[in-house]
Amino acid sequence: LARDVLRGTTTKAPLYHAFEAFSGTGIFTAEGGDWERKRAEVLRAFAVVGLASLRDRAVDESKRIVDELKSALKLVTNDGMEVLMLPALQRLALRVTFGYLTGKSLDEACDEIGRDRIACEAEYLAAATTLRHLIPARARSIWIFSDLLYGLTPVGRLEARNIRATRSLSSLALRVAKDDSPLGILRRGEAHLRERSVDVDGDKFPKGLLDEATTLLFAGHDTQSATLSWG
């Protein structure tokens, strides 16, 4: 019954409107036939690449995080140290997600554009964390009904700045993605290439493709790091 209801629903609840500035027309907010076509392309890309590379990337990046914690531990006294695991696991999940979607590590990608990986990582995670609080709050408020009014508020301007920060990483992912990676395969699709091109940091990408990269990067790191931190 649930499957029949979901398949027969072509539009999403109004609260999804609050997420459109961030995820645009990615599969999280897309509706009807547009959602079906984009979802099919995303699932096809994942099926072609498979899960082995995701597993290998997770193992490699997990080892790096553990090694970083061990190195930090060597610098303190025998009393040990207290570690906030959520930030560490957010970095881990972001590295794994970025590596799987692009076929390249975040280090390799940042080297290509001459940016420091730690700074790039920190900027994205700070912006994503802020948006994780702002967007659901907007979805519960009356400002959801007016983009114009919301954009004029201090909160609306803060959201816009953080969205730009997250999209810098999305554009980097699309720029460096290997042809045989999930994002590389989406670059050759049709459903994600129909919309106008947008400019991010001097690079132009079809808006649907940029929206999807933003959606997948956020979805891949946010829920996983939260679940791992509870564990």
Side-chain angles (χ1 to χ4, degrees), residues 3-74:
R3 183 176 64 247
D4 290 342
V5 168
L6 291 171
R7 283 180 173 174
T9 302
T10 58
T11 58
K12 294 180 178 178
L15 67 86
Y16 280 85
H17 175 69
F19 294 86
E20 288 176 356
F22 171 64
S23 56
T25 57
I27 55 175
F28 183 65
T29 47
E31 297 179 326
D34 185 43
W35 171 80
E36 290 179 353
R37 290 186 292 272
K38 288 177 176 176
R39 181 175 181 271
E41 282 193 355
V42 169
L43 292 178
R44 190 181 308 117
F46 289 162
V48 170
V49 176
L51 293 179
S53 62
L54 177 61
R55 176 202 60 207
D56 295 342
R57 184 74 60 174
V59 171
D60 291 342
E61 296 294 353
S62 296
K63 183 179 183 304
R64 285 184 60 194
I65 287 287
V66 171
D67 289 343
E68 288 175 12
L69 292 173
K70 286 181 177 179
S71 297
L73 187 59
K74 291 178 181 178

Side-chain angles (χ1 to χ4, degrees), residues 77 101 213:
T77 65
L101 290 175

Side-chain angles (χ1 to χ4, degrees), residues 99-151:
Y100 176 66
L101 290 175
T102 67
K104 290 187 178 181
S105 69
L106 195 51
D107 297 78
E108 293 172 317
C110 289
D111 284 344
E112 286 191 24
I113 61 170
R115 283 202 64 189
D116 177 64
R117 187 261 303 165
I118 295 176
C120 188
E121 199 173 68
E123 178 186 59
Y124 175 85
L125 288 174
T129 299
T130 299
L131 291 170
R132 182 155 42 83
H133 295 294
L134 289 181
I135 297 176
R138 185 194 175 189
R140 295 190 295 268
S141 77
I142 60 171
W143 296 109
I144 187 176
F145 297 109
S146 174
D147 290 332
L148 177 60
L149 288 177
Y150 183 73

